[in-house]
Each structure stands twice: as C-alpha cells, then as structure tokens.
Amino acid sequence: MLTTPPTGPVGTGTRAGAVTGSDGGTCTGGSAAATGSAASASSASSGGAVGVKDAEAARGAGRTPVEPGRPAATRAWATRLVVVGIVLAALNLRPAITSLGALLEEVRDGLGMSGTLAGLLTSVPPLCFALFGSQAPRLSRRFGAGAVVCAGMAAIATGLLIRPFVGGTAGFLAATAFALMGIAVSNVLMPVIVKRWFPDRVGSMTGLYSMALALGTSLAAALTVPLTDALGGSWRTGLALWAVVAVVAVVPWLPLVRERGAEPAATASAGTASAGTGSIGGSIGTGSAAAGSGRAAARPEEPAMRITHSRTAWALACFFGLQATAAYITMGWLPQIFRDAGVPAGEAGVLLAVTMAMGVPLAFVIPRVATRLPHQGPVVIVLGACGLAGYAGLYLAPAGGAWAWALLCGISNCAFPLALTMVGMRARSSAGVAKLSAFAQSTGYLISIPGPLLVGVLYQHSGGWGLPLALMAGLMVPQIAVGFLAGRDRTIEDEVAARATATA
C-alpha cells in the first residue's frame, strides 16, 4: 500500500517568511516531529527544510533519511512506479486527438460531417478540458491523485474503444468527450504529482512528462494511417487501436489508487503571514503527524487564497489558452492544410507527426532552460516567432516547404511544456500549484474553445486557408504578450498577499 510520497515540498521562499516549497528543501517525518515549532523565524528565513540538521546527520552517517514505518526500499520502489506512471499517462494524453486529425477526412465522410461540424469536433477537447479539468483538485482531495489519474486512464481507454462503433455523430462526440474527461483530470494533476513527489526536480520531471506527451502525440499522428491501411483500411479500427495503449497506462496507477493522506491540494499551503506563521507543505510521517496535530489544531485556519487576485495567474491562463488554441488547430487541421495543397494523406500524417515530434527533445530541454532563467519571456518570444514564420510558410508555399513549416510549427507548439513549467514556478507550494494548474488550464481551455471551430467555419465559407491562417497568426501576437508577462519572476502567493494588504 502506498500512502504518501517520500518527501513534501517545503519552504524556499523568504519573501513572506512562510515555510512553503518550490525547488528547495524537504521535510521528513522524523524531523517534522523533532521541530515542533514551525513558527521559528530562523528556520523560515533560511529557506531550507524543517529538520535539515537531522537529514544532514543521516546523510553524513551514510544513511538515507526515512520516515517512521516507511523503509527506504519501499519509498524508492514507489518513486520509480510514479515515474513509470507519469510517462505512460503522458503518452495517452493526446492520441485521442491526433489520431482523429490524421483520419479527419475519412471520419467526416463516414459520419456525414460538414466543415463546420468538423470544426466543432476539433473544439471538443478544450471544452472538455475546461469543464472537467476544474473538478480535478476536488476529486484529488476526496479520492487521492493516484486514484483520479487511474480512473482517467480507464476513461480514456473506454472512450477510445467505443467511439468508432457507437454509430452516428452524436455518439461519436459523446464517446470522444468521455475519453477527453479522463485526459482533462490527468492534465491538471500531472503538475501537482510532479511537484509533490519531485519538489526539487520540477524542471527535469516536467521535461520528462512533456517529452512523453509529445512522443505519444507524434506516434498517433504518424502511425494511425499506416496501421489503418494494414488492418483493412477502416478508420474505425484505426481509431480504436489506441485504446490498447491506454489500458497499459492503467496498470502502474493501480497500487496508487488507495493513496489518500496528505493530498497536496488539501494539505500543502502557501503561507502569507510573517516569519512566525509558516506552515509545513507536503507529506509527513505518521509519527510527526500525531506529534504536530495539537499545534495544527491550535492555529487559526488560513482563508482560501483568491487566485483571481493574481495578475500572473491571469496572464498564465491567457497564455495557456492561446497556446492551446494554436495546438488544437494544428492537431486538427494541419494534415488537411497539406492534403488540400496536394500532399498525399500518408505524408500529411507524417508531417503532423514531425510537428508533434519536435516536442520530444524540446519538451525536455525547454523546461530545464526555463527553470534556470530569471524571466521566461525570451523563450516565449522565440517560440512565437517560429509560429509566425510557420504560418507564413503555410500560406505562401504549403507543399513546397512542407517539412520546414512542420518543423517551425512544432517548435512553436512547445509553448505547452513551457506553460506547464511556469505553473510549477509561479507558485511556492503544492497547494498553490494545484490551484494555479486548475485555474490556468480550465480558464485557458475555455479561451481556446472558439479557435478550432472558427477555423472550420472560415475554411468552409472561404474555400481556402488564407483567412484561417491569418487568424492563427493574429492570435500569436497576444500569446507572446501575455506569455512575456507570465514569465516574470514572481509567485501568485505574493501577489495575492500584496493585494490583500493593499485593500485591508
């Protein structure tokens, strides 16, 4: 039985004097019990972990600090299982979308869809992500993050399996929405799980997760058409195949289904008081929990953080929404742009795969670079410039420079791992990350809903790609602007606290 991660994120921030976490120290169960007064000003301002001396003493003796009742071997096994689960889950977060993009023309013909209805179909992902993603923190607090992600993988498998065979456009949309519900909750909880289990490796683990996500995206785009042809040419079989990958992803999360205690969204808090009022974020051992329960009960409960009072949260939500708009237009319509330019269907699918595959190496590099920069704005500008160049090329010579435009669009789409990285950097605790992740993704996906639909309408009524591409280029400009603002070195906890102080 797995109950809690080996360590919890705790304080590195000295601005408010709270003991909260981003990339700093960790708290072990024994040391938390040994340091009963979390209100010590010296421990809060040092930016380290509660119980650092105990941990250093253990390391000096050649031991790994362990929690009472939790052998180091068990914790190491649990950590490896979480890594495998994160990778397999990430592989399944986009094939439901890119496999459909590769066969969109066949699906339209088979179900009798118009261009406008196909545009609605490509708008379903952000709609579902906005509706269901906002519920992820609540579900995580009640059932545990592992259980929610496990259920999400099961929903993806079920939806992908039944959607080609339910019959009719309405059934196809409903089954797609069911799969996307599983993707939505997993989308929101992945940054939370990374922050909770790997508080000192947010950049590298976000990169690994983003790289796996990009790999799954590109594999679905590249292999769907060849696999469909190899299995008889039925688009229904080609779409249903990806349910097998989702079934495999359920397995590593099964041992984590019973994980509940000390959920980050419920327990880790970002302190905004002075040096005397820090709170310990993350997971603590059973012994320390018992030792500290009286003190925790004695403290007055902090009011819920109003994330809407943070300008950085709004900037990040808008950035997330605009990059999602570009991504879903690309995944849903890029193969059709190439096919309309005379590129064969198989090659158009490969070009989409190339676009998505650019995220495999860059999704690992960009988060690591971003975490080393005081301001992520320059990275936002470079990615946006690549997108503008790619759209210009698709308008001027879609077939002649197809490979170059696919590469440029792929680089631009790496705004997604950058956005995920900034979610982890713009909050100092797991609680803050959970709230910011849910807010940025839910609000962002709401912003992105009209984009793919509007592209379908413009394409149908104009008969070409000039107006849709102009729309895509026009949306890239505000994406760069809000991304630059979201990249500033500040945290939502500090902004909310400053707003509360100013209005008091």
Side-chain angles (χ1 to χ4, degrees), residues 338 341 343 393 396-405:
F338 287 129
V343 177
L396 296 173
W403 293 94
W405 317 141

Side-chain angles (χ1 to χ4, degrees), residues 259-407:
E259 173 209 356
R260 290 201 184 184
E263 275 303 307
T267 62
S269 63
T272 56
S274 64
T277 60
S279 65
I280 301 175
S283 307
I284 58 177
T286 54
S288 62
S293 58
R295 289 184 301 273
R299 292 194 193 100
E301 195 170 309
E302 292 185 12
M305 179 175 63
R306 294 188 177 182
I307 196 170
T308 54
H309 289 180
S310 167
R311 294 182 179 179
T312 296
W314 280 108
L316 190 52
C318 292
F319 177 67
F320 202 101
L322 290 171
Q323 68 81 27
T325 300
Y328 288 112
I329 291 174
T330 299
M331 286 186 280
W333 289 108
L334 188 61
Q336 193 66 48
I337 294 175
F338 287 129
R339 291 177 74 168
D340 288 350
V343 177
E347 185 178 349
V350 172
L351 286 167
L352 177 60
V354 168
T355 299
M356 299 297 107
M358 288 301 299
V360 176
L362 292 180
F364 192 73
V365 172
I366 288 177
R368 295 175 68 86
V369 172
T371 55
R372 287 165 170 77
L373 294 176
H375 194 311
Q376 289 75 47
V379 182
V380 172
I381 294 173
V382 171
L383 298 180
C386 290
L388 291 173
Y391 299 152
L394 288 172
Y395 176 74
L396 296 173
W403 293 94
W405 317 141
L407 289 172

Side-chain angles (χ1 to χ4, degrees), residues 90-119:
L91 286 171
N92 283 276
L93 295 182
R94 293 300 179 269
I97 303 166
T98 52
S99 62
L100 177 59
L103 294 173
L104 183 59
E105 186 169 319
E106 287 76 10
V107 173
R108 287 177 58 190
D109 293 341
L111 298 178
M113 290 184 183
S114 65
T116 300
L117 193 55

